[in-house]
Amino acid sequence: MNYNNDEEAISFFNRLLGSLHQADYSFKGSIQLVYVAKGAQHVGNIRTQNVYTNKRQESMPPPPDSPPILPEALSTPEAMVLWEKAQRAGYVDANYQPKISLTKSALLAFEMAIRLNVRNKWKVFETLWNRRNMRSDYNNALLQRQSLDFQDKLKQVFG
């Protein structure tokens, strides 16, 4: 980009980086604005600016080797019994992440929430599983014939 003077360039980058910061981005590093005179002669640094990254990317689930962190509502002794049963049935892995489809995992979440009296069930499971719109997945599941069979299996697994 070409600017008529240093102040225009600095102003542009300040506005850009400020917008990134306001749009849910966080500090990740820095860049330097360098003034180069005509004829490609390096004159010096104008200013150092911060670089921002998307906070949503930073909130990705932890790597598989880190220990799973369960919300309080899903870490009670009763919940641990249900988790163990779901793991044996092959519905979740050792990190309590679903190994089944979106609709089936929504049914699983609903069934567990009912048995454990979990308030805000969708929010709790969406946070744990790093998902969105589980209520919609649940509604879609209710429209599928295979989901009725899965609901029966869940009742058998959980007893």
Side-chain angles (χ1 to χ4, degrees):
M1 291 179 263
N2 292 327
Y3 292 96
N4 293 331
N5 59 50
D6 299 343
E7 290 176 4
E8 282 183 20
I10 291 171
S11 175
F12 169 78
F13 279 105
N14 280 334
R15 285 193 317 273
L16 173 65
L17 295 170
S19 296
L20 290 174
H21 180 66
Q22 291 173 0
D24 207 24
Y25 284 72
S26 65
F27 177 75
K28 194 65 174 180
S30 62
I31 58 172
Q32 288 187 339
L33 299 178
V34 177
Y35 178 71
V36 179
K38 290 187 178 186
Q41 178 184 1
H42 178 268
V43 175
N45 294 339
I46 297 173
R47 188 167 182 176
T48 300
Q49 292 288 332
N50 295 332
V51 176
Y52 294 87
T53 59
N54 190 327
K55 286 184 180 177
R56 291 184 196 102
Q57 292 174 345
E58 293 173 0
S59 64
M60 296 297 284
D65 58 339
S66 66
I69 300 171
L70 287 172
E72 186 177 328
L74 299 177
S75 60
T76 64
E78 298 84 11
M80 297 314 292
V81 170
L82 294 180
W83 283 120
E84 185 179 325
K85 290 179 179 182
Q87 285 176 355
R88 275 188 282 157
Y91 300 150
V92 294
D93 64 17
N95 291 323
Y96 309 105
Q97 297 301 304
K99 296 168 57 176
I100 52 181
S101 70
L102 296 177
T103 53
K104 287 182 178 179
S105 60
L107 291 170
L108 172 66
F110 182 83
E111 188 67 30
M112 288 183 71
I114 293 298
R115 291 174 182 268
L116 299 171
N117 295 318
V118 175
R119 299 185 75 190
N120 299 321
K121 62 184 156 282
W122 303 124
K123 183 177 181 178
V124 169
F125 279 95
E126 285 173 350
T127 301
L128 175 63
W129 291 344
N130 195 29
R131 291 198 24 209
R132 291 176 147 188
N133 304 318
M134 284 188 68
R135 173 67 188 200
S136 177
D137 293 337
Y138 176 76
N139 289 336
N140 289 337
L142 295 179
L143 300 174
Q144 300 173 1
R145 180 176 172 83
Q146 66 183 6
S147 296
L148 297 175
D149 297 334
F150 185 71
Q151 284 177 312
D152 292 338
K153 287 180 187 176
L154 283 176
K155 290 176 183 168
Q156 290 172 358
V157 168
F158 291 147

